[in-house]
Amino acid sequence: MVESRIKKDDKNDTNVIIKNIKIIGNYAFARCTCLKNLLFEKPSILTSIRAYAFSRCFNLISVSIPSSVKNLDRFAFYRCLKLKNLSFEEP
């Protein structure tokens, strides 16, 4: 279940995706309005974020992509209207 892969840090209003996920599939978190600030637990083995994975996450403000990601599909963050900070970690 997708929801079990997210931990919530209420102090920082941050959602953390656990480290043992390799691929975030198409539409995996689409329309997940609870996401605001998204981080990936370290060390991350995430290699791919597929199309529309976070589409229409209307409250998503910030995402930090781990350096392990080699593939970021088109429209992965489609219609994330509040997204202001998309950063990529250094290898």
Side-chain angles (χ1 to χ4, degrees):
M1 181 175 249
V2 169
E3 291 80 16
S4 66
R5 303 292 186 207
I6 300 178
K7 296 189 291 186
K8 178 84 167 127
D9 179 354
D10 290 322
K11 272 198 268 182
N12 300 322
D13 207 17
T14 299
N15 304 99
V16 179
I17 296 186
I18 62 173
K19 63 184 171 188
N20 61 348
I21 293 179
K22 191 168 184 177
I23 296 171
I24 297 178
N26 296 346
Y27 298 95
F29 294 97
R31 297 181 185 262
C32 190
T33 57
C34 65
L35 296 178
K36 290 189 178 179
N37 300 298
L38 191 62
L39 295 174
F40 293 86
E41 200 172 52
K42 295 180 183 178
S44 178
I45 62 168
L46 184 67
T47 59
S48 182
I49 300 175
R50 300 279 169 85
Y52 301 97
F54 294 96
S55 67
R56 298 180 188 264
C57 291
F58 295 123
N59 294 313
L60 189 60
I61 298 168
S62 175
V63 179
S64 179
I65 307 289
S67 60
S68 58
V69 172
K70 305 299 179 220
N71 182 50
L72 180 61
D73 283 359
R74 270 178 75 174
F75 304 115
F77 296 97
Y78 177 73
R79 305 240 339 135
C80 293
L81 303 177
K82 293 183 181 178
L83 186 60
K84 293 188 190 308
N85 183 23
L86 180 63
S87 61
F88 297 86
E89 293 179 357
E90 300 268 337

